[in-house]
Amino acid sequence: MPSRPDPKAIESVLLGGEAVYTREQAVELAGADPELAGRVWRALGFPTLGDDSVIFAESDVEALRITDSLLKEGILDEEGVVRFARAMGQTMARLADWQTSILSTLMFQDGNEAANPLMNQVKELLPDVERLLLHIWRRQLAASTARTLAVMSNGNDIVPNYYPLIVGFADLVSFTTLSRELDEVELAGVVEGFEATAADIVASGGGRVVKTLGDEVLYVADSPLQAADIALRLASGVKTHVEVPDVRVGVAYGPVLTLHGDVFGTTVNRSSRLTSFARPGTVLIDDALAESLAEEEGLQVVKVRARHAHGLGLIQPYALRRDFDAG
């Protein structure tokens, strides 16, 4: 019978050493406040175990020292430390699950269920992945900071995380039917294909994927033309993949609250409702975006029947199409 990877052995490799400290010992060695250390640990998404549980490695102690220094040096206040921890914990948890899924899938595809290949993969990948992670985070932070500074310097009297933005949803039309017809592996392939294709289209068009929800992708763009191009490419491009059914797209333009890496507000809700109104392979946009695109060459903006949306009242959708006769 094939041996299974030892979780403690993998944990030791990833943490740079075995867990040797209890919570009390780790907090004392770090010189951190016990109450804050507990809040940070929970914010990172880890369960609170008994005081006698040996779950902390030397690297955990060092992380506590760094966290405590941010507070003592006045770089962040206590709430800031906890919010930073929550942001990193939630993001890294999803990233870790995603990467583990990729590694385990590759291992089982090769027909090898032994512990050593996975352990060897982890050891070999770790240094390069750490460097890539730091570089990608810095690149994303630079891009996010530049966007925020641009908003703050535009002269409008608005808060940095509440400003006009274009929000789009792309929705797999036949996902419910597919979930009944396909097994779990086949359905996962459809979802991964959809997400990968959508992410490529959004990124290449200058937009940003905010999150994926299985059968739905939420994205944002800064300019009307970017948003229009992305939406039309999603509506026409995804269906060329035989494994993926048609998508419908809804796009809205207006003030958006950006918080915790997500977007909120009436504009987001309006985009979602427009998506539910759209037919397979089509794009519906709201009146604000329609007005911005009305004079753009190569596009058709056609007023369609107004619809009532629960909680939003009457919405006036517009069908967005390419004008192949233009020019």
Side-chain angles (χ1 to χ4, degrees), residues 22-317:
T22 64
R23 179 176 58 184
E24 184 177 344
Q25 290 170 332
V27 170
E28 184 178 355
L29 285 169
D33 176 72
E35 183 179 349
L36 177 61
R39 290 187 66 194
V40 169
W41 186 251
R42 292 189 298 273
L44 289 170
F46 299 119
T48 301
L49 302 178
D51 291 337
D52 295 332
S53 299
V54 179
I55 58 173
F56 291 91
E58 187 61 48
S59 56
D60 292 312
V61 175
E62 180 60 23
L64 276 174
R65 289 194 187 103
I66 294 171
T67 302
D68 190 61
S69 69
L70 293 174
L71 182 63
K72 289 178 177 176
E73 293 172 13
I75 299 173
L76 293 173
D77 61 13
E78 186 169 322
E79 288 306 313
V81 168
V82 174
R83 289 172 66 189
F84 257 74
R86 186 176 296 112
M88 289 187 288
Q90 291 181 6
T91 302
M92 293 303 176
R94 185 169 187 267
L95 176 62
D97 284 345
W98 196 342
Q99 291 174 328
T100 301
S101 175
I102 294 171
L103 285 175
S104 60
T105 300
L106 290 174
M107 183 180 70
F108 282 102
Q109 281 178 347
D110 294 337
N112 194 334
E113 301 183 29
N116 287 336
L118 181 59
M119 287 292 295
N120 291 337
Q121 283 181 332
V122 170
K123 289 179 181 178
E124 291 174 8
L125 281 173
L126 195 57
D128 288 337
V129 169
E130 281 184 335
R131 287 192 290 270
L132 279 174
L133 184 62
L134 179 59
H135 173 71
I136 293 167
W137 172 71
R138 286 177 179 268
R139 292 284 299 183
Q140 293 286 7
L141 188 61
S144 178
T145 303
R147 290 193 298 269
T148 301
L149 290 175
V151 169
M152 295 174 67
S153 62
N154 67 4
N156 292 334
D157 186 21
I158 54 178
V159 295
N161 62 335
Y162 185 72
Y163 50 87
L165 201 59
I166 306 166
V167 181
F169 274 97
D171 172 52
L172 280 175
V173 176
S174 305
F175 187 76
T176 302
T177 301
L178 283 173
S179 65
R180 292 195 297 263
E181 295 177 348
L182 302 178
D183 62 29
E184 288 82 356
V185 175
E186 292 171 327
L187 188 62
V190 169
V191 170
E192 186 168 1
F194 167 60
E195 290 184 353
T197 303
D200 286 347
I201 290 174
V202 172
S204 64
R208 303 179 298 282
V209 171
V210 175
K211 60 184 175 184
T212 57
L213 305 169
D215 61 335
E216 208 168 46
V217 170
L218 171 61
Y219 68 93
V220 295
D222 296 315
S223 80
L225 273 177
Q226 282 181 334
D229 180 63
I230 290 169
L232 290 167
R233 288 171 61 198
L234 285 169
S236 63
V238 172
K239 67 181 180 182
T240 62
H241 294 66
V242 295
E243 302 90 351
V244 182
D246 286 344
V247 300
R248 51 190 176 183
V249 185
V251 193
Y253 189 10
V256 171
L257 176 67
T258 61
L259 190 65
H260 305 321
D262 207 340
V263 289
F264 304 91
T266 302
T267 303
V268 180
N269 296 337
R270 192 163 62 250
S271 173
S272 177
R273 297 296 191 277
L274 287 167
T275 306
S276 67
F277 297 154
R279 295 193 306 273
T282 67
V283 178
L284 287 183
I285 63 177
D286 69 350
D287 50 0
L289 185 56
E291 183 178 351
S292 299
L293 296 172
E295 303 301 323
E296 292 294 343
E297 186 176 349
L299 295 176
Q300 287 183 349
V301 177
V302 181
K303 189 175 183 179
V304 298
R305 179 171 63 90
R307 304 286 293 271
H308 181 81
H310 181 68
L312 297 175
L314 196 65
I315 293 181
Q316 177 57 67

